[in-house]
Amino acid sequence: MTHPHATPTASTDSTPNARNTEAQPEVSTPDSPTPVSPTSDTALTTLPSLTDLRRRLTTDLDQAARTWLEHALDEAAAHPGIHGPISAWELRLAEAGRRCGAAHADAARVLILHAARAGADALSRVYFQGTADERRAVLHALPHLVSGPAALPLVEDALRTNDTRLLGAAVGPYAARHLDAHSWRHAVLKCLFTGVPVDHVADLPRRARGDGELARMVGDYAAERTAAGRSVPEDLYRVLDLTESAPSAPGPDHPHGKES
């Protein structure tokens, strides 16, 4: 069945202020969510290995950019962690867009964060002091660098924004692994009403499978749009279809229960 496409609506919060090390993205308003940039590194919507990221950049970057990246990685590895008001590798994060180009900046930043062995504290500092581009890279780096839920406040902050680029990064593998059922359902719903493709939601088929509460929430949203004379996003029907599939047996891979 073919369903009409919706005009996305937006959420309420805006992205926190960032330091001025790079040009700032357009600030979104409640009626105008920030669109996904066509120059964003869409390769990071999945979870490539760090080896794959390094190989891709080695192939795609020109000689000057490769030389800069190798120096930045060596510098980060030699002086990891946080040092003083700002570490040398944090400055390289700020330069990555200019040095590597917007299409490769996310991947370069993830590699620098890994080389710097950035833990939850360092990632939090970069996230809350950085630009929206740096925040997005931190979110992409989380599954590579943080094994437990310590970085969930960063994901939760990104989910409160209207910047769809941050939202798309926030619902990646780290969120799939650590967000509780209530927060994860609301993250899926926010993707639907801000226009973030649900392809960005990591592990969506497993987590949505047989989830009656998610089905109710998504159905209510569809009813509200229909009552207002607005079209329903195609992705909404996809999520509903997933919730109607049979749930898997409980096990260690299904830590998130239903809401009461």
Side-chain angles (χ1 to χ4, degrees):
M1 178 177 178
T2 301
H3 305 289
H5 292 278
T7 301
T9 58
S11 57
T12 54
D13 299 274
S14 58
T15 307
N17 291 331
R19 71 174 184 269
N20 243 344
T21 52
E22 285 188 353
Q24 300 297 308
E26 180 182 351
V27 177
S28 57
T29 67
D31 294 321
S32 177
T34 306
V36 177
S37 170
T39 58
S40 297
D41 192 341
T42 54
L44 295 184
T45 58
T46 58
L47 183 60
S49 70
L50 295 168
T51 300
D52 286 343
L53 287 182
R54 186 77 173 263
R55 184 183 302 115
R56 187 179 305 152
L57 290 183
T58 299
T59 300
D60 293 345
L61 294 177
D62 62 27
Q63 183 59 51
R66 286 199 302 271
T67 300
W68 177 87
L69 180 60
E70 292 298 329
H71 173 74
L73 295 176
D74 290 344
E75 183 179 51
H79 304 286
I82 298 174
H83 304 282
I86 188 166
S87 303
W89 57 265
E90 293 178 80
L91 296 175
R92 304 302 161 249
L93 293 177
E95 293 177 25
R98 177 166 53 88
R99 297 286 192 168
C100 298
H104 305 296
D106 281 358
R109 290 183 175 113
V110 169
L111 291 174
I112 292 170
L113 288 166
H114 182 262
R117 301 194 287 279
D121 289 344
L123 292 168
S124 294
R125 181 163 105 170
V126 171
Y127 181 90
F128 286 111
Q129 294 183 2
T131 65
D133 290 338
E134 290 165 39
R135 292 181 191 135
R136 188 175 64 249
V138 166
L139 295 168
H140 284 310
L142 292 181
H144 296 291
L145 295 172
V146 184
S147 59
L152 270 179
L154 309 186
V155 173
E156 292 163 351
D157 180 84
L159 291 173
R160 290 191 291 268
T161 73
N162 289 326
D163 188 332
T164 55
R165 295 165 298 179
L166 284 182
L167 292 173
V171 292
Y174 187 82
R177 199 175 299 158
H178 297 294
L179 274 182
D180 62 35
H182 174 81
S183 299
W184 183 82
R185 290 172 184 134
H186 281 277
V188 173
L189 194 63
K190 183 149 188 179
C191 286
L192 292 175
F193 66 69
T194 56
V196 173
V198 296
D199 284 340
H200 289 264
V201 181
D203 213 8
L204 176 65
R206 179 184 68 81
R207 290 207 60 172
R209 187 178 300 122
D211 190 335
E213 178 62 15
L214 179 61
R216 182 195 65 77
M217 293 167 64
V218 171
D220 288 349
Y221 176 55
E224 290 172 7
R225 291 188 67 88
T226 301
R230 307 185 71 181
S231 58
V232 176
E234 188 75 24
D235 272 356
L236 186 146
Y237 295 103
R238 179 181 169 193
V239 173
L240 275 178
D241 287 344
L242 289 171
T243 65
E244 292 171 1
S245 57
S248 299
D253 292 332
H254 297 78
H256 305 283
K258 298 291 189 292
E259 296 171 49
S260 56

